[in-house]
Structure formats: structure tokens, C-alpha cells
Amino acid sequence: MKQDQHIWAGSATFEHIEMPENQCFLWRKDNYPWARNVWNFHPEFELHLIRKSSGLCYIGDHIGQFDPGQLTLVGSGLPHDWITLPSDGKHIPERDIVVQFNPETFAGPSQFLIELEELDLLFDKAQFGLEFSPGAAKDASEILEGMGNLSGLDQLVALLSVFSILIKDTSAKTLATSHYLTDFRPGSSLELKRLETALNYLRQNFLQDIKLSDAADAVGMSESAFSRFFKAQTGNTFTQHISSLRLWMAKRLLKETDHPITEICFEAGFSNISNFNRIFLKTTGLRPSDYRKTARRF
């Protein structure tokens, strides 16, 4: 197993993780919002369970919906964030369960404990971020929920049981692209602060007729400089990012409302129905009407 351990000290989005004394991994429940709810990365792997609320998850260049029960494994150095929407400042106690660990903790002993070699493939895939199927997530979450009442060897055995479930999940979905992992390089503290400002600005305004110049002005950059900067840091162009946010809103409206599709097109920020239908079909493989039928089965 080859682990690409990226550590960028001094960066505004680098999260320093301290393991509890006498433990090889960290288990905790996180409230929302809190100081670490930012676009961040760290050398440790992160197993992230959403217990409450829905919103947008950012994993590398992936933008997607999250709902209660979503379980994701994020690899070393892969930027990530989960944003509950609407961002109305509402406090959500214990929204997440987070497990963070150094994969080498389990890779090293595999030379003596052959069974641990099964983790290699799981950890390799997790470098791109993995979202697990509902069935596997449900089984794993039942164990994760109880881990707070355990300690020592009992807690470690529980984590290994979770890994065993995830290894068998052949329906786990890869999130970030290999292109993003190749090209991503974190900027200075100032640049990363600008990125956080830009992402917040776009989340608040993507339903409007927002232009590249608007986002560039919001962070004090020229259009050309902002365009290059945004692509380098998120893996998406400005247009792709806005389109992803609008598609997320359209999917949500299709699933949760009976609004006509033409109306949803404009509610989600698209300017015309033909463009909406084309982008929706290209991205999801389904027409909006077919997506609505499929989404409502679950």
C-alpha cells in the first residue's frame, strides 16, 4: 500500500489532529457549526458519519448532497467539508460522528497480522474519498454510535468491525477525480482565506444571476486571476461549480416538491429549460422527470 501523506504546515486550512492518550485513533461527536467546519485537510484518514440534517458535501472536486446516515471515508490530504443548508446559523448538536486515524497504524502490523492486509484496497480507494452504500452505512453506523461507550481494546475491535463491513461494500462510490489529486496544491493562508470567502459567497448567491466578475470582486481579485485560482483550489471551473450547486437544488426540488419541472428550472437558478434539461441529462444520465420518479422510490 502506498500512502501519499501530504502535510502542509502553516496553512489556514490544515487541521492539526491530536490523538487521545493511549489510543491510536480519535472518535468524537461534532456539533454544527464549529470552528473546524471549513474547507480543511489533514494527513489522517477521516471516517465521517452524518447523524442529522442535510446539505452539501465537498470532497476534493466532488460536490454532492448529504443526508442523515451518509458515511464517507476521506483519504490523506484530501480537502473536505460538510455544509448544512440553509446556512441559517442554527445549532445542531452532535451532527456528526468522526473517526480519524493514521492508516500506517494498521498497515505496519499487517506484516504480522496478515488479515489486516485486507485494509490496503479500502485505504487506497479512500484517497479519492468513498461514500458507502446505504446498507453498509447503516450496519457500520450502529457500531460507530456505540463506540463512545467503549474504550481500549474493545473500541479498537469495534473499529475493525466497521472496517470489515466497509471492505465488503462493492457499491461504495468514489468521489474525487484522479485529476484533482494530481493537481491540487494548497495556497498561502491569504489564498485559502480567499477561497473560503469565495465558496461562502457562491453558496449564498448561486440561485441569482451570478457572474465570474461578481465572485472575483467578492475576494478582491481580477477575473482571470480568480478563474485560475478557483480551478487550482477546487478542481472545478467557476461555471462547473455554479452548475453543480444548481443541480443539487434542482434534485432537491424534484424529490421534495410537486412543482412543475419548468418552474424548478428557474427556481434552481437556470436561465432556460433546454439548457437545464441538457445539463441534467448529461450529469445524471436521467431526464428531470425520470429522476423525480426514481428519487421518490426511496
Side-chain angles (χ1 to χ4, degrees), residues 56-258:
L56 283 170
C57 65
Y58 296 77
I59 312 287
D61 57 356
H62 167 80
I63 303 174
Q65 168 81 10
F66 73 77
D67 295 295
Q70 185 203 58
L71 182 63
T72 309
L73 182 60
V74 178
S76 174
L78 183 61
H80 52 275
D81 197 9
W82 286 262
I83 305 295
T84 290
L85 293 175
S87 301
D88 54 8
K90 181 180 179 181
H91 178 72
I92 306 173
E94 300 183 344
R95 186 193 70 164
D96 320 80
I97 287 180
V98 174
V99 177
Q100 295 169 325
F101 60 92
N102 185 334
E104 295 302 326
T105 298
F106 300 94
S110 66
Q111 61 181 311
F112 307 108
L113 301 173
I114 304 302
E115 290 82 359
L116 291 179
E117 289 184 354
E118 293 184 36
L119 292 172
D120 288 0
L121 183 58
L122 176 67
F123 290 170
D124 285 342
K125 289 180 178 178
Q127 292 288 0
F128 300 89
L130 286 175
E131 181 181 335
F132 298 98
S133 66
K138 182 177 183 297
D139 292 342
S141 66
E142 292 175 356
I143 300 174
L144 289 168
E145 290 282 358
M147 284 175 61
N149 300 318
L150 304 175
S151 61
L153 186 58
D154 290 336
Q155 197 176 54
L156 176 60
V157 170
L159 180 59
L160 291 174
S161 297
V162 170
F163 287 156
S164 180
I165 292 170
L166 303 185
I167 287 169
K168 298 180 180 70
D169 186 11
T170 57
S171 299
K173 182 173 65 174
T174 301
L175 301 178
T177 65
S178 57
H179 172 76
Y180 178 80
L181 290 183
T182 300
D183 292 349
F184 170 69
R185 294 294 182 273
S188 66
S189 296
L190 173 61
E191 288 175 328
L192 291 168
K193 182 61 178 176
R194 280 176 168 168
L195 177 62
E196 184 180 350
T197 300
L199 291 174
N200 287 334
Y201 179 81
L202 297 181
R203 275 197 298 270
Q204 294 167 7
N205 296 281
F206 72 91
L207 297 178
Q208 312 303 319
D209 183 21
I210 187 171
K211 298 179 175 60
L212 176 63
S213 58
D214 299 326
D217 288 343
V219 296
M221 300 177 73
S222 69
E223 288 186 42
S224 58
F226 177 77
S227 181
R228 293 191 299 270
F229 162 77
F230 192 81
K231 178 66 165 65
Q233 290 297 316
T234 68
N236 293 310
T237 65
F238 169 81
T239 300
Q240 290 169 335
H241 191 88
I242 293 298
S243 181
S244 294
L245 292 173
R246 289 172 175 169
L247 281 170
W248 166 78
M249 178 57 74
K251 290 177 183 178
R252 184 174 177 181
L253 292 170
L254 286 166
K255 182 177 181 179
E256 298 177 2
T257 76
D258 293 319

Side-chain angles (χ1 to χ4, degrees), residues 10-66:
S11 165
T13 58
F14 174 79
E15 180 182 353
H16 176 67
I17 297 168
E18 293 186 6
M19 295 298 164
E21 188 175 355
N22 300 321
Q23 283 187 255
C24 64
F25 65 93
L26 181 153
W27 179 100
R28 69 172 190 259
K29 288 182 178 178
D30 286 352
N31 300 328
Y32 183 88
W34 74 311
R36 296 186 184 184
N37 291 132
V38 296
W39 179 244
N40 74 92
F41 56 86
H42 39 73
E44 293 80 10
F45 276 38
E46 178 168 317
L47 188 61
H48 198 109
L49 173 66
I50 297 291
R51 303 177 70 242
K52 307 172 185 178
S53 83
S54 299
L56 283 170
C57 65
Y58 296 77
I59 312 287
D61 57 356
H62 167 80
I63 303 174
Q65 168 81 10
F66 73 77

